[in-house]
Amino acid sequence: MPREFEIKYRTEITYEDWVHNAYWQFLIIPIENDSQHDVEVEFNNSLFAITEYSINGYGFKTLRVHPKKKFKEVTFEATIKFIKEDIDPLKFKTNFNIALEHEELHKLDFKINHERFLKATPFTNITATQDQLYSFDVSISIFKNLENLNHWIYNYVQFSRNDIDKGTLLNEVILNKKGDCKDFAHLFCALARINGIPTRYVSGYLDRTNGFKGDSQLHAWVECYIPQIGWKGFDPTNNVLADINHIKICHGKDYNDCSPLKGIVNTQGKNKTTYSVTLHSCNS
């Protein structure tokens, strides 16, 4: 049964000194696809600056704001409504030849077509020793290997909220065996890519009413491309497949491609940013 959602997003930024010029970009609008549709967005700011809608390099909608007057504090508020379909994440064919499925990963055309999501990035880079943390079993399907990896990371890393917006470099995550949802997703991306699976970092909202763990603002999970199946979502923070509770905003190589707020601000002194996100299911 489809569910109607309403999201309230709020960001407050205060500056120690006057801001004379600022540009912001928000990446907070749910993507419209087979499982998410009828997205409505109302976005306002306390400076009454004009909001411009744009599309980023990955094809996702962004909101851009460039105020025309100086200020020391600003508030942004968004109300987002949409419908989410309850699509079974396990509804796909599985009777493939396992050997041929694994062989596909080594074909040159496959690697070229998915090059962007096979490369390591600063947030998905691990050492030559660490890349032996998890190896795929070629006697079982790629999907089953990814399920096992999802379960392994869930048990290997202890969930801990991180004060660093972007997450932690993987060397530290692996050493301390703890991290937030961004770190879980980055580790999954690293190990899946090393094993030849195109994997993209996903940012979105999570309905946590069923006891799921995740960041109080935006959640992170991954999507993997499986030959003959396509892109499938995995949430290692909660050891589940992405489903009706996962509301996708965007994807990229890592967090840097998916940051909900980017800005260029001309000012001096310190600043403080606070976020709040509330998600309500109108059917519950």
Side-chain angles (χ1 to χ4, degrees):
M1 177 181 174
R3 283 159 64 181
E4 296 179 37
F5 282 100
E6 180 180 270
I7 294 171
K8 297 282 190 181
Y9 178 97
R10 179 183 174 90
T11 297
E12 296 181 38
I13 313 175
T14 57
Y15 297 89
E16 192 174 49
D17 202 353
W18 287 104
V19 176
H20 296 276
N21 199 16
Y23 296 85
W24 292 287
Q25 175 182 282
F26 290 84
L27 189 51
I28 60 173
I29 302 174
I31 184 177
E32 296 207 47
N33 54 26
D34 291 341
S35 69
Q36 300 174 186
H37 54 86
D38 294 320
V39 177
E40 299 177 5
V41 182
E42 182 181 322
F43 187 79
N44 300 292
N45 63 83
S46 59
L47 301 175
F48 302 102
I50 296 173
T51 300
E52 297 180 344
Y53 287 77
S54 184
I55 303 295
N56 72 3
Y58 284 91
F60 300 109
K61 291 181 180 179
T62 65
L63 301 161
R64 296 186 177 184
V65 181
H66 173 40
K68 305 299 183 182
K69 58 184 180 181
K70 68 177 185 178
F71 60 93
K72 282 190 174 182
E73 58 183 45
V74 59
T75 300
F76 302 94
E77 293 182 324
T79 299
I80 305 169
K81 299 179 181 180
F82 59 96
I83 295 173
K84 178 83 175 180
E85 300 290 337
D86 190 4
I87 297 176
D88 184 358
L90 290 172
K91 192 176 181 179
F92 57 88
K93 294 181 181 179
T94 57
N95 56 338
F96 304 122
N97 182 301
I98 292 176
L100 293 178
E101 189 183 29
H102 283 275
E103 286 178 13
E104 182 70 19
L105 302 180
H106 301 286
K107 292 182 178 179
L108 181 59
D109 286 350
F110 182 86
K111 293 180 178 180
I112 292 174
N113 290 338
H114 299 285
E115 180 185 17
R116 173 182 282 183
F117 298 112
L118 284 170
K119 288 183 174 180
T121 70
F123 279 118
T124 63
N125 185 55
I126 55 181
T127 66
T129 302
Q130 292 167 340
D131 67 17
Q132 302 301 314
L133 276 173
Y134 192 90
S135 297
F136 276 23
D137 180 354
V138 295
S139 69
I140 61 176
S141 71
I142 292 175
F143 177 77
K144 185 60 181 175
N145 271 291
L146 292 168
E147 274 196 313
N148 291 345
L149 176 59
N150 207 42
H151 181 69
W152 183 86
I153 294 175
Y154 173 77
N155 287 310
Y156 183 83
V157 182
Q158 178 184 352
F159 180 75
S160 175
R161 284 188 171 83
N162 195 334
D163 292 333
I164 302 174
D165 286 344
K166 292 186 178 182
T168 309
L169 294 180
L170 284 184
N171 287 342
E172 186 176 338
V173 175
I174 293 169
L175 177 64
N176 297 324
K177 295 185 179 181
K178 67 178 183 179
D180 64 8
C181 59
K182 297 185 289 294
D183 302 320
F184 277 75
H186 284 147
L187 182 57
F188 195 117
C189 286
L191 295 175
R193 290 172 186 171
I194 284 170
N195 284 279
I197 308 297
T199 306
R200 54 198 191 193
Y201 179 101
V202 180
S203 176
Y205 304 101
L206 177 67
D207 185 355
R208 297 188 296 158
T209 55
N210 293 319
F212 289 130
K213 294 178 291 186
D215 192 272
S216 58
Q217 286 88 47
L218 293 182
H219 189 51
W221 61 97
V222 305
E223 289 174 344
C224 300
Y225 187 85
I226 306 172
Q228 304 182 72
I229 294 176
W231 293 100
K232 298 299 295 183
F234 298 84
D235 180 355
T237 305
N238 294 289
N239 191 28
V240 296
L241 300 178
D243 58 16
I244 194 171
N245 299 294
H246 296 73
I247 298 123
K248 179 178 177 178
I249 295 173
C250 62
H251 64 247
K253 300 182 296 297
D254 60 19
Y255 176 85
N256 278 338
D257 292 332
C258 301
S259 175
L261 174 59
K262 292 182 178 180
I264 299 175
V265 180
N266 295 329
T267 188
Q268 296 181 346
K270 298 178 180 179
N271 68 81
K272 180 181 179 182
T273 303
T274 59
Y275 305 91
S276 69
V277 174
T278 58
L279 185 150
H280 175 65
S281 174
C282 303
N283 306 73
S284 58

